[in-house]
């Protein structure tokens, strides 16, 4: 009877999770369905009891791997993805039903470690849940959303109608997970991407713990996951844009751990078959999630094997090196090649492109200034000197005292040194290092992210050992007390000193997003009033390309910035808009969606020619099939009403008045705000401020910040009233001009060069 109750309780829990994920359209709950499958399969594969903490940190890797590999197999055999996804869900429920009774007999509950892991994961997930917004901010996320969209549209991992071949052949691990959550929970693609990027922190904690536990010990694992929140590099600004890579960190750590266990026959060992199954399945999936994670794993484990066999610091390897390479490297690569029908074509195209996979790739960030910026961020950013102390202390202790762990600690540091040398090579000799040189310098730098918390953890563990030594060897209570105080002070400084700066980094990185609540409202408005239509947007730093991902593919973009490079046919978007406006063209069944959060199309020019349907915050929507202007003036005056004599540069509250030429959503805008500087950043050559005042004025005072000495021209209501040279820094410009109440007034500022920021406009 007890066995039946245990079976039913686990099965019921599985069914509840699946039902609620679907019924509530909740991708966060859906994310845990693969976890359950991985948990069930590990229970089946293990022959003896296994610590609960290790079981649930490994289970996501297996569950996600089965999901991804199954998606590719189904597409290879022309089985529709939606059929496979529901079949996968049914398989999860069946494994819970069949294996639920075995759970209690296979588990060894280590409450302290489990609690610490979950607490650390909960802290990181909660922080990022409140900080994160829709991942609708750059070319990477748009590319990934496009692959998900076309996968679901074609019901296959190989969407042949995709706008670029790169969408077809790009490894689809992340995208198969996202597609699964979209189908199972009936959520929008950006909602699913947001859920994944938030809960990926759970995987990161699991991976760090699993790796540190097996490569070092349980105490170092505890220190490592506790250290994550204050480890600088973990909050590097670029991480919010590279989600497949971030999930790849988890697979990188898991593969290192499995291979290490296979070699050393340690506490995780559950038989040869156990390791071979996990190695092949998870190794193959790690390539599909991100090839970087696999190639970096290969490098680290190769260094470890060389050091392990060469230094003779422990017993001889239980398995031959050849067998390890075959199981953990060759077979996953073969499986990847077999499952991906475009594997050969990818290699051919790479060779034809003069070795795209072998030679250096350069970006605008590949310079010495950015090199210093990156590695400073990884070490002493936000005055986090305690982190550097821990890293040095851990390296010294394990190298000098912990002789049995020399290969482990050296493997990590050699890999980081390799990355540093790759960066330097990219800036100097530019020598081609196969596969590794194919990444830009900043992407290479990110490969070290999952290892830094472990290095900090080794330092915290070493410091704890030193404290215990002093407490046991020193008889003077005062000296012992002082040692405890110093230890506490160092630990506290690691968490408290960088806390404010770290929080600022997390929030600021999220400031460069395009889809804001007012944009979501407008997307819903369009879908309510138009079942299908074409959309003209500014294309550059614009939210309009995201409409199909929220509301479906009935909405056609005339242009987008990523695959069509802001072209409509052979014309640039600027040239096309210029012709439309100059010839007053009518475009049937077409809306202009103008997002003024970045320098874009000038809505005031459209308002002179086309019917203005709606202004909502920073967004203007026009019907390009209608030249009915009868309501335009009223819509504009109502929305741009300003009864205060002061218009601050705070674009969060007053951004709608800065109608053209200003950047309102960007990392540095948020950075300025954190430092108490609320400014409207004129990043274009010309900016227009428009408003409908409640009073008449005859004087205007512009408070401006100039990045350098520059000349500006100011026009009021289309009439130039000032040409003046500004000095670098704060400038107050006084203008005599008539501002009329209950009418649209404009202030147009044109600059010659540099960055100009509007701090305040005062009228009198």
């Amino acid at each position: 009877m007890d066995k039946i109750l245990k079976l039913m309780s686990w099965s019921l829990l599985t069914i509840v999770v699946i039902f609620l994920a679907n019924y509530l359209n909740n991708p966060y709950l859906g994310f845990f369905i693969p976890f359950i499958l991985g948990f069930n399969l590990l229970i089946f594969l293990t022959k003896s009891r296994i610590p609960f903490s290790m079981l649930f940190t490994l289970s996501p890797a297996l569950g996600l791997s089965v999901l991804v590999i199954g998606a590719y197999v189904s597409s290879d055999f022309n089985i529709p993805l939606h059929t496979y996804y529901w079949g996968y869900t049914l398989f999860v429920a069946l494994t819970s039903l069949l294996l639920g009774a075995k759970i209690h007999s296979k588990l060894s509950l280590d409450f302290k470690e489990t609690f610490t892991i979950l607490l650390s994961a909960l802290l990181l997930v909660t922080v990022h849940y409140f900080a994160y917004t829709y991942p609708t901010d750059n070319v990477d996320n748009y590319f990934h959303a496009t692959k998900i969209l076309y996968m679901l549209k074609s019901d296959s991992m190989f969407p042949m109608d995709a706008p670029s071949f790169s969408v077809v052949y790009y490894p689809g691990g992340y995208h198969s997970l996202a597609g699964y959550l979209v189908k199972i929970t009936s959520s929008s693609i950006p909602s699913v991407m947001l859920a994944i990027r938030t809960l990926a922190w759970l995987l990161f904690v699991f991976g760090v713990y699993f790796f540190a536990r097996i490569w070092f010990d349980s105490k170092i694992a505890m220190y490592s996951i506790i250290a994550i929140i204050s480890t600088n590099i973990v909050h590097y600004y670029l991480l919010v844009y590279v989600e497949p890579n971030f999930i790849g960190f988890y697979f990188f750590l898991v593969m290192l751990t499995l291979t290490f266990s296979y070699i050393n026959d340690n506490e995780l060992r559950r038989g040869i078959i156990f390791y071979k199954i996990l190695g092949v399945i998870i190794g193959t999936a790690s390539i599909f999630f991100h090839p970087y994670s696999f190639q970096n794993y290969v490098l680290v484990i190769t260094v470890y094997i060389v050091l392990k066999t060469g230094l003779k610091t422990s017993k001889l390897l239980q398995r031959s090196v050849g067998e390890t390479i075959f199981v953990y490297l060759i077979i996953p690569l073969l499986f990847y090649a077999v499952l991906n029908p475009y594997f050969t074509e990818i290699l051919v195209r790479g060779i034809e492109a003069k070795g795209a996979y072998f030679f250096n790739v350069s970006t605008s960030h590949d310079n010495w200034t950015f090199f210093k910026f990156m590695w400073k961020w990884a070490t002493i950013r936000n005055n986090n000197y305690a982190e550097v102390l821990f890293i040095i202390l851990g390296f010294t202790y394990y190298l000098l005292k912990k002789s049995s762990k020399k290969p482990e600690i050296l493997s990590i540091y050699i890999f980081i040194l390799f990355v540093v040398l790759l960066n330097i090579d990219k800036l100097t000799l530019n020598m081609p290092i196969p596969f590794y040189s194919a990444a830009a310098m900043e992407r290479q730098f990110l490969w070290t992210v999952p290892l830094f918390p472990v290095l900090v953890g080794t330092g915290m563990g070493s410091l704890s050992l030193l404290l215990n030594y002093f407490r046991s060897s020193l008889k003077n209570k005062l000296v012992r007390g002082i040692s405890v105080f110093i230890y506490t002070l160092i630990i506290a400084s690691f968490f408290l000193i960088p806390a404010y700066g770290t929080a600022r980094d997390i929030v600021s990185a999220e400031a460069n997003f395009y889809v804001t609540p007012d944009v979501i409202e407008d997307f819903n408005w369009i879908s309510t009033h138009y079942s299908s239509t074409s959309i003209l947007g500014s294309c550059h730093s614009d939210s309009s390309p995201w409409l199909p991902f929220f509301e479906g593919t009935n909405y056609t973009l005339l242009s987008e910035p990523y695959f069509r490079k802001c072209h409509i046919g052979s014309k640039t978007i600027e040239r096309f808009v210029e012709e439309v406006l100059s010839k007053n063209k009518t475009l049937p069944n077409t809306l202009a969606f103008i997002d003024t959060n970045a320098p874009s199309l000038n809505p005031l020019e459209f308002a002179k020619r086309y019917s203005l349907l709606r202004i909502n915050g920073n967004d203007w929507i026009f019907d390009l099939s209608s030249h009915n202007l009868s309501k335009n003036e009223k819509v504009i005056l109502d929305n741009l009403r300003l009864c205060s004599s002061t218009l601050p540069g705070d674009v969060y509250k007053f951004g709608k008045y800065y109608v053209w030429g200003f950047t309102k959503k960007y990392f540095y805008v948020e950075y300025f705000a954190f430092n108490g500087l609320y400014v409207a950043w004129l990043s274009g050559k010309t900016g227009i401020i428009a408003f409908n005042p409640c009073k008449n004025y005859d004087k205007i005072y512009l408070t401006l910040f100039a990045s350098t000495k520059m000349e500006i021209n100011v026009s009021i209501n289309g009439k130039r009233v000032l040409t003046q040279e500004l000095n670098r820094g704060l400038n107050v410009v006084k203008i005599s001009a008539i501002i009329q109440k209950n009418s649209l007034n404009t202030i147009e500022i044109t600059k010659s060069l540099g960055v100009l920021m509007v701090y305040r406009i005062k009228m009198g």
Side-chain angles (χ1 to χ4, degrees):
M1 186 66 183
D2 182 57
K3 185 176 182 180
I4 295 175
L5 289 175
K6 291 175 182 177
L7 174 65
M8 294 303 295
S9 62
W10 181 244
S11 302
L12 182 61
L13 176 63
T14 302
I15 292 171
V16 167
V17 170
I18 294 172
F19 172 76
L20 289 178
N22 178 261
Y23 181 75
L24 300 175
N25 307 125
N26 192 318
Y28 292 89
L29 275 176
F31 189 78
F32 290 97
I33 296 175
F35 287 35
I36 296 173
L37 177 62
F39 194 88
N40 293 339
L41 293 179
L42 286 173
I43 290 294
F44 174 73
L45 291 171
T46 53
K47 296 180 179 180
S48 57
R49 296 176 73 86
I50 184 172
F52 181 70
S53 60
M54 297 177 68
L55 186 63
F56 81 77
T57 52
L58 176 59
S59 60
L62 183 55
L64 291 171
S65 297
V66 173
L67 172 66
V68 172
I69 293 173
Y72 270 89
V73 171
S74 66
S75 294
D76 286 331
F77 287 94
N78 296 318
I79 299 172
L81 271 182
H82 78 275
T83 302
Y84 164 70
Y85 283 150
W86 286 109
Y88 176 88
T89 306
L90 179 62
F91 181 59
V92 174
L94 286 175
T95 56
S96 290
L97 182 64
L98 296 173
L99 302 172
K102 297 183 178 181
I103 290 176
H104 294 275
S105 64
K106 294 288 186 75
L107 286 181
S108 173
L109 185 61
D110 43 352
F111 179 79
K112 183 179 179 181
E113 291 191 28
T114 301
F115 177 78
T116 306
I117 295 168
L118 292 178
L119 184 63
S120 178
L122 180 63
L123 174 62
L124 283 162
V125 169
T126 302
V127 166
H128 291 91
Y129 176 82
F130 288 106
Y132 279 164
T133 58
Y134 287 115
T136 52
D137 36 35
N138 74 333
V139 62
D140 295 80
N141 286 323
Y142 187 86
F143 174 87
H144 297 308
T146 300
K147 183 173 177 70
I148 298 165
L149 179 68
Y150 279 88
M151 273 173 43
L152 296 175
K153 186 179 175 182
S154 63
D155 229 2
S156 170
M157 292 300 298
F158 317 115
M160 298 313 299
D161 59 342
S164 169
F165 181 69
S166 61
V167 174
V168 180
Y169 73 70
Y170 189 91
Y174 167 82
H175 314 87
S176 59
L177 168 60
Y180 173 72
L181 296 180
V182 170
K183 281 294 183 184
I184 295 301
T185 67
S186 301
S187 302
S188 69
I189 291 173
S191 298
V192 164
M193 293 173 70
L194 174 59
I196 293 176
R197 79 189 300 205
T198 303
L199 292 176
W201 285 97
L202 191 70
L203 298 181
F204 189 79
V205 173
F206 286 2
V208 169
Y209 168 81
F210 193 48
F211 173 75
R213 165 76 182 263
I214 301 302
W215 275 59
F216 296 97
D217 55 52
S218 59
K219 287 185 177 180
I220 297 302
M222 291 294 98
Y223 284 126
S224 297
I225 61 174
I226 292 170
I228 291 174
I229 189 68
S230 290
T231 302
N232 285 342
I233 196 173
V234 170
H235 306 295
Y236 190 68
Y237 82 98
L238 190 64
L239 285 175
V240 298
Y241 306 133
V242 290
E243 198 56 50
N245 205 357
F246 193 77
I247 295 178
F249 294 155
Y250 171 65
F251 281 87
F252 164 73
L253 294 170
V254 167
M255 284 301 294
L256 284 175
T257 307
L258 290 175
T259 313
F260 181 93
S261 300
Y262 184 80
I263 293 170
N264 290 288
D265 192 25
N266 74 348
E267 62 172 309
L268 185 62
R269 186 177 177 223
R270 294 294 179 269
I272 296 173
I273 299 299
F274 175 82
Y275 280 113
K276 288 185 176 180
I277 291 174
L278 292 187
V280 171
I281 294 176
I282 298 176
T284 303
S286 69
I287 305 175
F288 280 119
F289 269 100
H290 209 291
Y292 287 159
S293 62
F294 189 78
Q295 71 178 38
N296 293 338
Y297 143 74
V298 170
L299 178 60
V300 175
I301 205 66
T302 300
V303 172
Y304 171 75
I305 290 174
V306 170
L307 293 173
K308 182 77 173 178
T309 55
L311 295 179
K312 306 293 184 184
T313 56
S314 62
K315 62 182 180 179
L316 294 175
L317 300 177
Q318 298 297 311
R319 308 288 170 218
S320 70
V321 173
E323 189 177 72
T324 302
I325 293 173
F326 182 73
V327 172
Y328 287 89
L329 173 59
I330 296 177
I331 293 182
L333 283 172
L334 287 174
F335 268 55
Y336 173 76
V338 170
L339 291 173
N340 188 348
Y342 297 99
F343 180 75
T344 304
E345 189 170 353
I346 293 170
L347 290 180
V348 171
R349 290 196 177 205
I351 294 171
E352 289 176 349
K354 298 182 180 179
Y357 302 103
F358 301 94
F359 294 99
N360 278 299
V361 173
S362 297
T363 70
S364 59
H365 284 176
D366 293 351
N367 55 66
W368 286 109
T369 300
F370 222 82
F371 176 85
K372 295 174 184 176
F373 170 78
M374 293 187 308
W375 291 103
K376 182 179 178 181
W377 192 308
T379 51
I380 61 173
R381 185 176 176 83
N382 297 321
N383 298 313
N384 198 356
Y385 296 99
E387 177 183 330
V388 179
L389 174 64
F390 287 139
I391 292 173
I392 295 173
L393 189 60
F395 177 73
T396 304
Y397 174 79
Y398 276 88
L399 202 60
L400 298 180
K401 293 290 185 181
K402 199 78 170 178
S403 58
S404 63
K405 289 295 181 181
K406 279 184 181 179
E408 286 84 341
I409 199 74
L410 283 174
S411 300
I412 295 174
Y413 277 96
I414 288 173
F415 175 71
I416 293 176
L417 178 62
F418 173 74
V419 172
V420 173
L421 293 176
L422 273 178
N423 287 176
I424 295 174
D425 171 64
K426 196 171 284 291
L427 300 174
T428 54
L429 301 176
N430 212 31
M431 294 173 57
I433 311 297
F435 298 102
Y436 295 93
S437 292
M441 185 177 74
E442 202 171 12
R443 301 302 176 103
Q444 294 170 347
F445 166 74
L446 293 182
W447 296 344
T448 65
V449 168
L451 297 175
F452 267 84
V454 180
L455 297 181
V456 175
T458 61
M460 295 175 77
S462 302
L463 184 64
S464 177
L465 290 173
L466 288 175
L467 173 66
N468 292 335
Y469 170 79
F470 280 115
R471 292 178 66 183
S472 61
S473 62
L474 297 175
K475 297 180 179 180
N476 189 306
K477 291 184 178 180
L478 177 61
V479 177
R480 289 167 61 185
I482 292 173
S483 66
V484 173
F485 174 76
I486 293 174
Y487 172 81
T488 306
L489 189 65
I490 294 173
I491 295 292
S493 68
F494 173 68
F495 290 104
L496 297 179
I497 290 177
Y500 176 73
T502 298
R504 191 165 63 178
D505 288 339
I506 293 172
V507 176
S508 294
E510 280 299 299
N512 185 20
F513 58 91
Y514 299 155
V515 178
T516 49
D518 55 346
V519 172
I520 295 293
E521 290 177 7
D522 289 327
F523 285 174
N524 291 335
W525 184 89
I526 291 173
S527 67
T528 300
H529 293 81
Y530 296 85
S531 58
S532 64
T533 187
S534 297
I535 303 292
L536 172 66
S538 69
C539 192
H540 302 287
S541 302
D542 179 24
S543 59
S544 63
W546 288 93
L547 176 61
F549 300 106
F550 282 94
E551 302 298 342
T553 54
N554 290 336
Y555 303 96
T556 305
L557 302 172
L558 293 185
S559 184
E560 49 80 33
Y562 308 105
F563 300 107
R564 282 180 273 173
K565 306 298 182 185
C566 291
H567 278 67
I568 300 177
S570 60
K571 300 174 183 176
T572 64
I573 186 71
E574 292 82 5
R575 179 61 180 163
F576 178 82
V577 170
E578 182 183 339
E579 287 188 8
V580 168
L581 293 176
S582 64
K583 297 179 181 179
N584 208 22
K585 286 185 176 180
T586 300
L587 302 182
N589 194 32
T590 302
L591 300 179
F593 185 95
I594 301 178
D595 178 354
T596 65
N597 276 299
S600 59
L601 306 180
N602 186 346
L604 299 180
E605 291 297 323
F606 280 80
K608 298 174 184 177
R609 298 167 175 84
Y610 298 101
S611 176
L612 176 58
L613 302 177
R614 174 182 173 91
I615 297 178
N616 181 34
N618 295 291
D619 303 329
W620 300 52
I621 302 177
F622 294 90
D623 181 359
L624 300 187
S625 66
S626 172
H627 295 285
N628 183 357
L629 310 181
S630 59
K631 297 181 181 179
N632 285 17
E633 183 178 9
K634 185 179 186 306
V635 173
I636 294 173
L637 293 179
D638 287 348
N639 281 277
L640 297 185
R641 190 67 164 168
L642 179 66
C643 289
S644 171
S645 61
T646 301
L647 178 56
D650 184 353
V651 292
Y652 296 101
K653 295 180 180 179
F654 303 95
K656 66 179 181 179
Y657 299 105
Y658 295 87
V659 299
W660 187 55
F662 294 89
T663 293
K664 309 174 198 177
K665 293 185 296 190
Y666 192 59
F667 177 91
Y668 281 110
V669 174
E670 188 71 32
Y671 178 80
F672 295 145
F674 269 123
N675 287 281
L677 189 61
Y678 292 90
V679 294
W681 181 9
L682 178 55
S683 52
K685 182 179 179 182
T686 301
I688 297 178
I689 303 103
F691 54 95
N692 171 25
C694 297
K695 295 171 58 178
N696 292 324
Y697 302 100
D698 58 11
K699 290 183 177 60
I700 301 173
Y701 301 88
L702 301 178
T703 304
L704 309 171
F705 286 95
S707 64
T708 186
K709 195 172 184 178
M710 67 174 70
E711 182 180 272
I712 65 166
N713 295 311
V714 180
S715 298
I716 305 295
N717 296 326
K719 181 181 178 181
R720 181 174 295 185
V721 295
L722 176 76
T723 297
Q724 183 171 320
E725 190 173 83
L726 301 183
N727 295 317
R728 184 177 183 273
L730 181 65
N731 298 263
V732 178
V733 178
K734 180 180 178 182
I735 301 171
S736 295
I738 301 299
I739 301 295
Q740 295 182 337
K741 66 178 181 179
N742 301 326
S743 63
L744 183 65
N745 292 263
T746 61
I747 302 174
E748 181 177 322
I749 304 172
T750 302
K751 61 184 174 67
S752 56
L753 59 116
V755 175
L756 183 66
M757 293 173 283
V758 180
Y759 177 69
R760 182 174 56 240
I761 300 173
K762 177 74 175 176
M763 293 172 286

